[in-house]
mmCIF file of all heavy atoms in Angstrom:
data_model
loop_
_atom_site.group_PDB
_atom_site.id
_atom_site.type_symbol
_atom_site.label_atom_id
_atom_site.label_comp_id
_atom_site.label_asym_id
_atom_site.label_seq_id
_atom_site.Cartn_x
_atom_site.Cartn_y
_atom_site.Cartn_z
ATOM 1 N N PRO A 82 18.547 16.363 -17.250
ATOM 2 C CA PRO A 82 19.260 17.106 -18.292
ATOM 3 C C PRO A 82 18.657 16.574 -19.672
ATOM 4 O O PRO A 82 17.997 15.685 -19.761
ATOM 5 C CB PRO A 82 20.645 16.514 -18.128
ATOM 6 C CG PRO A 82 20.734 15.802 -16.874
ATOM 7 C CD PRO A 82 19.326 15.355 -16.544
ATOM 8 N N ILE A 83 19.004 17.519 -20.580
ATOM 9 C CA ILE A 83 18.565 17.012 -21.901
ATOM 10 C C ILE A 83 19.758 16.279 -22.579
ATOM 11 O O ILE A 83 20.863 16.723 -22.509
ATOM 12 C CB ILE A 83 18.075 18.177 -22.780
ATOM 13 C CG1 ILE A 83 18.991 19.452 -22.755
ATOM 14 C CG2 ILE A 83 16.699 18.617 -22.426
ATOM 15 C CD1 ILE A 83 18.747 20.483 -23.714
ATOM 16 N N TYR A 84 19.552 15.144 -23.144
ATOM 17 C CA TYR A 84 20.566 14.203 -23.555
ATOM 18 C C TYR A 84 21.088 14.544 -25.035
ATOM 19 O O TYR A 84 20.358 14.909 -25.901
ATOM 20 C CB TYR A 84 20.072 12.791 -23.434
ATOM 21 C CG TYR A 84 19.660 12.401 -22.114
ATOM 22 C CD1 TYR A 84 18.335 12.569 -21.634
ATOM 23 C CD2 TYR A 84 20.536 12.081 -21.066
ATOM 24 C CE1 TYR A 84 17.829 12.270 -20.437
ATOM 25 C CE2 TYR A 84 20.156 11.780 -19.957
ATOM 26 C CZ TYR A 84 18.866 11.819 -19.408
ATOM 27 O OH TYR A 84 18.429 11.520 -18.160
ATOM 28 N N TYR A 85 22.435 14.295 -25.091
ATOM 29 C CA TYR A 85 22.905 14.446 -26.523
ATOM 30 C C TYR A 85 22.555 13.264 -27.296
ATOM 31 O O TYR A 85 22.765 12.105 -26.951
ATOM 32 C CB TYR A 85 24.589 14.466 -26.386
ATOM 33 C CG TYR A 85 25.147 15.570 -25.703
ATOM 34 C CD1 TYR A 85 26.180 15.382 -24.671
ATOM 35 C CD2 TYR A 85 24.858 16.925 -26.186
ATOM 36 C CE1 TYR A 85 26.714 16.519 -24.055
ATOM 37 C CE2 TYR A 85 25.443 17.921 -25.483
ATOM 38 C CZ TYR A 85 26.353 17.759 -24.422
ATOM 39 O OH TYR A 85 27.097 18.765 -23.902
ATOM 40 N N HIS A 91 22.315 4.800 -22.679
ATOM 41 C CA HIS A 91 22.640 3.555 -21.989
ATOM 42 C C HIS A 91 21.982 3.609 -20.661
ATOM 43 O O HIS A 91 21.153 4.624 -20.250
ATOM 44 C CB HIS A 91 24.178 3.389 -21.754
ATOM 45 C CG HIS A 91 24.869 4.512 -21.203
ATOM 46 N ND1 HIS A 91 24.759 4.921 -19.909
ATOM 47 C CD2 HIS A 91 25.816 5.371 -21.660
ATOM 48 C CE1 HIS A 91 25.578 5.907 -19.584
ATOM 49 N NE2 HIS A 91 26.176 6.288 -20.620
ATOM 50 N N GLY A 93 22.874 4.250 -17.768
ATOM 51 C CA GLY A 93 23.159 5.438 -16.908
ATOM 52 C C GLY A 93 22.221 6.563 -17.177
ATOM 53 O O GLY A 93 21.851 7.254 -16.217
ATOM 54 N N HIS A 94 21.872 6.780 -18.455
ATOM 55 C CA HIS A 94 20.887 7.864 -18.702
ATOM 56 C C HIS A 94 19.506 7.453 -18.163
ATOM 57 O O HIS A 94 18.781 8.439 -17.515
ATOM 58 C CB HIS A 94 20.789 8.103 -20.255
ATOM 59 C CG HIS A 94 21.976 8.434 -20.917
ATOM 60 N ND1 HIS A 94 22.719 7.628 -21.770
ATOM 61 C CD2 HIS A 94 22.857 9.522 -20.703
ATOM 62 C CE1 HIS A 94 23.815 8.187 -22.213
ATOM 63 N NE2 HIS A 94 23.944 9.399 -21.624
ATOM 64 N N TYR A 96 18.952 5.721 -15.628
ATOM 65 C CA TYR A 96 19.082 5.912 -14.194
ATOM 66 C C TYR A 96 18.544 7.353 -13.883
ATOM 67 O O TYR A 96 17.738 7.600 -12.976
ATOM 68 C CB TYR A 96 20.539 5.657 -13.720
ATOM 69 C CG TYR A 96 20.689 6.123 -12.231
ATOM 70 C CD1 TYR A 96 20.097 5.508 -11.210
ATOM 71 C CD2 TYR A 96 21.684 7.006 -11.906
ATOM 72 C CE1 TYR A 96 20.347 5.833 -9.923
ATOM 73 C CE2 TYR A 96 21.911 7.424 -10.728
ATOM 74 C CZ TYR A 96 21.259 6.898 -9.578
ATOM 75 O OH TYR A 96 21.460 7.163 -8.336
ATOM 76 N N ASP A 122 19.473 17.403 -26.582
ATOM 77 C CA ASP A 122 20.376 18.695 -26.724
ATOM 78 C C ASP A 122 21.119 18.410 -28.030
ATOM 79 O O ASP A 122 22.091 17.656 -28.126
ATOM 80 C CB ASP A 122 21.313 18.587 -25.578
ATOM 81 C CG ASP A 122 22.263 19.745 -25.418
ATOM 82 O OD1 ASP A 122 22.069 20.668 -26.278
ATOM 83 O OD2 ASP A 122 23.004 19.847 -24.468
ATOM 84 N N TRP A 298 25.977 25.097 -24.547
ATOM 85 C CA TRP A 298 25.551 25.072 -23.195
ATOM 86 C C TRP A 298 24.663 26.181 -22.886
ATOM 87 O O TRP A 298 23.606 26.151 -22.046
ATOM 88 C CB TRP A 298 26.761 24.994 -22.202
ATOM 89 C CG TRP A 298 27.221 23.584 -21.861
ATOM 90 C CD1 TRP A 298 28.092 22.809 -22.466
ATOM 91 C CD2 TRP A 298 26.381 22.652 -20.973
ATOM 92 N NE1 TRP A 298 28.175 21.466 -21.911
ATOM 93 C CE2 TRP A 298 27.174 21.422 -21.009
ATOM 94 C CE3 TRP A 298 25.201 22.770 -20.138
ATOM 95 C CZ2 TRP A 298 26.663 20.315 -20.286
ATOM 96 C CZ3 TRP A 298 24.903 21.668 -19.448
ATOM 97 C CH2 TRP A 298 25.488 20.456 -19.466
ATOM 98 N N ALA A 301 21.317 25.202 -24.324
ATOM 99 C CA ALA A 301 20.831 23.963 -23.716
ATOM 100 C C ALA A 301 20.122 24.310 -22.292
ATOM 101 O O ALA A 301 18.986 23.845 -22.124
ATOM 102 C CB ALA A 301 21.747 22.906 -23.475
ATOM 103 N N VAL A 302 20.795 25.027 -21.501
ATOM 104 C CA VAL A 302 20.089 25.255 -20.214
ATOM 105 C C VAL A 302 18.820 26.010 -20.305
ATOM 106 O O VAL A 302 17.794 25.809 -19.432
ATOM 107 C CB VAL A 302 21.060 25.896 -19.072
ATOM 108 C CG1 VAL A 302 22.088 25.001 -18.639
ATOM 109 C CG2 VAL A 302 21.673 27.185 -19.720
ATOM 110 N N ASN A 304 16.473 25.484 -22.104
ATOM 111 C CA ASN A 304 15.418 24.529 -22.342
ATOM 112 C C ASN A 304 14.405 24.431 -21.194
ATOM 113 O O ASN A 304 13.257 24.147 -21.370
ATOM 114 C CB ASN A 304 15.849 23.087 -22.789
ATOM 115 C CG ASN A 304 15.954 22.203 -21.518
ATOM 116 O OD1 ASN A 304 15.072 21.578 -21.172
ATOM 117 N ND2 ASN A 304 17.222 22.179 -20.963
ATOM 118 N N TYR A 305 15.018 24.731 -19.953
ATOM 119 C CA TYR A 305 14.212 24.601 -18.745
ATOM 120 C C TYR A 305 13.147 25.666 -18.651
ATOM 121 O O TYR A 305 12.260 25.539 -17.846
ATOM 122 C CB TYR A 305 15.117 24.714 -17.527
ATOM 123 C CG TYR A 305 16.210 23.602 -17.482
ATOM 124 C CD1 TYR A 305 17.573 23.938 -17.219
ATOM 125 C CD2 TYR A 305 15.906 22.360 -17.558
ATOM 126 C CE1 TYR A 305 18.515 22.945 -17.098
ATOM 127 C CE2 TYR A 305 16.824 21.283 -17.545
ATOM 128 C CZ TYR A 305 18.151 21.655 -17.311
ATOM 129 O OH TYR A 305 19.044 20.660 -17.214
ATOM 130 N N VAL A 326 20.701 16.503 -12.007
ATOM 131 C CA VAL A 326 21.775 16.432 -13.018
ATOM 132 C C VAL A 326 22.853 15.454 -12.548
ATOM 133 O O VAL A 326 23.091 15.317 -11.328
ATOM 134 C CB VAL A 326 22.368 17.796 -13.432
ATOM 135 C CG1 VAL A 326 21.329 18.754 -13.925
ATOM 136 C CG2 VAL A 326 23.115 18.430 -12.220
ATOM 137 N N GLY A 327 23.719 14.896 -13.459
ATOM 138 C CA GLY A 327 24.819 14.085 -13.115
ATOM 139 C C GLY A 327 25.843 15.022 -12.553
ATOM 140 O O GLY A 327 25.973 16.286 -12.806
ATOM 141 N N GLU A 329 28.973 15.530 -13.126
ATOM 142 C CA GLU A 329 29.946 16.376 -13.954
ATOM 143 C C GLU A 329 29.305 17.527 -14.662
ATOM 144 O O GLU A 329 30.052 18.387 -15.221
ATOM 145 C CB GLU A 329 30.513 15.414 -15.059
ATOM 146 C CG GLU A 329 29.766 15.173 -16.323
ATOM 147 C CD GLU A 329 28.459 14.270 -16.153
ATOM 148 O OE1 GLU A 329 28.085 14.068 -15.086
ATOM 149 O OE2 GLU A 329 27.940 13.864 -17.275
ATOM 150 N N ILE A 330 27.977 17.678 -14.471
ATOM 151 C CA ILE A 330 27.395 18.941 -15.197
ATOM 152 C C ILE A 330 26.774 19.854 -14.052
ATOM 153 O O ILE A 330 26.022 20.734 -14.455
ATOM 154 C CB ILE A 330 26.465 18.583 -16.298
ATOM 155 C CG1 ILE A 330 25.301 17.697 -15.855
ATOM 156 C CG2 ILE A 330 27.160 17.873 -17.432
ATOM 157 C CD1 ILE A 330 24.226 17.601 -16.858
ATOM 158 N N HIS A 334 24.965 24.073 -14.174
ATOM 159 C CA HIS A 334 23.631 24.255 -13.573
ATOM 160 C C HIS A 334 23.591 25.156 -12.395
ATOM 161 O O HIS A 334 22.661 25.773 -11.992
ATOM 162 C CB HIS A 334 22.981 22.886 -13.239
ATOM 163 C CG HIS A 334 22.472 22.209 -14.516
ATOM 164 N ND1 HIS A 334 23.351 21.442 -15.237
ATOM 165 C CD2 HIS A 334 21.308 22.258 -15.144
ATOM 166 C CE1 HIS A 334 22.659 20.979 -16.212
ATOM 167 N NE2 HIS A 334 21.406 21.388 -16.166
ATOM 168 N N HIS A 356 23.573 13.965 -8.857
ATOM 169 C CA HIS A 356 23.605 12.578 -8.646
ATOM 170 C C HIS A 356 24.932 11.907 -9.083
ATOM 171 O O HIS A 356 25.623 12.444 -9.927
ATOM 172 C CB HIS A 356 22.423 11.762 -9.174
ATOM 173 C CG HIS A 356 22.306 11.745 -10.668
ATOM 174 N ND1 HIS A 356 23.171 10.918 -11.375
ATOM 175 C CD2 HIS A 356 21.635 12.459 -11.619
ATOM 176 C CE1 HIS A 356 22.889 11.020 -12.686
ATOM 177 N NE2 HIS A 356 22.009 12.025 -12.793
ATOM 178 N N GLY A 357 25.275 10.709 -8.597
ATOM 179 C CA GLY A 357 26.435 10.070 -8.990
ATOM 180 C C GLY A 357 26.247 9.265 -10.243
ATOM 181 O O GLY A 357 25.309 9.380 -10.921
ATOM 182 N N TRP A 358 27.288 8.569 -10.632
ATOM 183 C CA TRP A 358 27.285 7.752 -11.883
ATOM 184 C C TRP A 358 26.985 6.220 -11.588
ATOM 185 O O TRP A 358 27.371 5.844 -10.626
ATOM 186 C CB TRP A 358 28.607 7.948 -12.594
ATOM 187 C CG TRP A 358 28.842 9.202 -13.161
ATOM 188 C CD1 TRP A 358 27.947 10.000 -13.592
ATOM 189 C CD2 TRP A 358 30.118 9.753 -13.460
ATOM 190 N NE1 TRP A 358 28.599 11.247 -14.161
ATOM 191 C CE2 TRP A 358 29.912 11.082 -14.034
ATOM 192 C CE3 TRP A 358 31.507 9.235 -13.283
ATOM 193 C CZ2 TRP A 358 31.035 11.801 -14.445
ATOM 194 C CZ3 TRP A 358 32.517 10.100 -13.713
ATOM 195 C CH2 TRP A 358 32.282 11.394 -14.235
ATOM 196 N N LEU A 359 26.306 5.696 -12.625
ATOM 197 C CA LEU A 359 26.302 4.380 -12.632
ATOM 198 C C LEU A 359 27.519 3.794 -13.250
ATOM 199 O O LEU A 359 27.952 4.134 -14.403
ATOM 200 C CB LEU A 359 25.059 3.928 -13.474
ATOM 201 C CG LEU A 359 24.299 2.680 -13.138
ATOM 202 C CD1 LEU A 359 23.851 2.804 -11.716
ATOM 203 C CD2 LEU A 359 23.088 2.635 -14.056
ATOM 204 N N LYS A 365 32.942 4.554 -15.183
ATOM 205 C CA LYS A 365 31.767 5.237 -15.653
ATOM 206 C C LYS A 365 31.356 4.514 -17.090
ATOM 207 O O LYS A 365 32.270 4.447 -17.882
ATOM 208 C CB LYS A 365 31.965 6.728 -15.947
ATOM 209 C CG LYS A 365 30.619 7.441 -16.333
ATOM 210 C CD LYS A 365 30.918 8.880 -16.762
ATOM 211 C CE LYS A 365 29.646 9.528 -17.161
ATOM 212 N NZ LYS A 365 29.832 10.764 -18.014
ATOM 213 N N MET A 366 30.223 4.313 -17.278
ATOM 214 C CA MET A 366 29.718 3.672 -18.526
ATOM 215 C C MET A 366 29.872 4.655 -19.637
ATOM 216 O O MET A 366 29.491 5.823 -19.668
ATOM 217 C CB MET A 366 28.286 3.301 -18.493
ATOM 218 C CG MET A 366 28.007 1.995 -18.152
ATOM 219 S SD MET A 366 26.313 1.655 -17.981
ATOM 220 C CE MET A 366 26.228 0.926 -16.455
HETATM 221 N N1 LIG B 101 23.545 17.634 -23.068
HETATM 222 C C1 LIG B 101 24.157 17.747 -21.754
HETATM 223 C C2 LIG B 101 23.196 18.174 -20.735
HETATM 224 C C3 LIG B 101 22.634 19.537 -20.974
HETATM 225 S S1 LIG B 101 21.460 19.897 -19.718
HETATM 226 C C4 LIG B 101 20.996 21.434 -20.029
HETATM 227 C C5 LIG B 101 24.789 16.254 -21.389
HETATM 228 N N2 LIG B 101 24.199 15.252 -21.992
HETATM 229 S S2 LIG B 101 24.660 13.777 -21.739
HETATM 230 O O1 LIG B 101 23.855 12.991 -22.564
HETATM 231 O O2 LIG B 101 26.064 13.636 -21.959
HETATM 232 O O3 LIG B 101 24.472 13.396 -20.299
HETATM 233 C C6 LIG B 101 23.165 13.578 -19.687
HETATM 234 C C7 LIG B 101 23.099 13.031 -18.288
HETATM 235 O O4 LIG B 101 23.265 11.698 -18.240
HETATM 236 C C8 LIG B 101 24.116 13.797 -17.375
HETATM 237 O O5 LIG B 101 23.439 14.206 -16.197
HETATM 238 C C9 LIG B 101 25.028 12.653 -17.062
HETATM 239 O O6 LIG B 101 25.560 12.769 -15.790
HETATM 240 C C10 LIG B 101 24.137 11.431 -17.103
HETATM 241 N N3 LIG B 101 24.943 10.168 -17.262
HETATM 242 C C11 LIG B 101 25.703 9.926 -18.418
HETATM 243 N N4 LIG B 101 26.320 8.675 -18.001
HETATM 244 C C12 LIG B 101 25.902 8.351 -16.796
HETATM 245 C C13 LIG B 101 26.209 7.203 -15.916
HETATM 246 N N5 LIG B 101 26.969 6.187 -16.236
HETATM 247 N N6 LIG B 101 25.612 7.173 -14.803
HETATM 248 C C14 LIG B 101 24.652 8.145 -14.391
HETATM 249 N N7 LIG B 101 24.342 9.175 -15.166
HETATM 250 C C15 LIG B 101 25.097 9.224 -16.250
HETATM 251 O O7 LIG B 101 25.554 16.312 -20.464
#
Side-chain angles (χ1 to χ4, degrees):
I83 48 174
Y84 300 94
Y85 292 129
H91 55 67
H94 302 115
Y96 170 61
D122 187 0
W298 268 102
V302 284
N304 93 87
Y305 300 131
V326 301
E329 85 284 15
I330 60 171
H334 286 83
H356 66 75
W358 287 335
L359 211 55
K365 187 189 177 202
M366 264 175 228

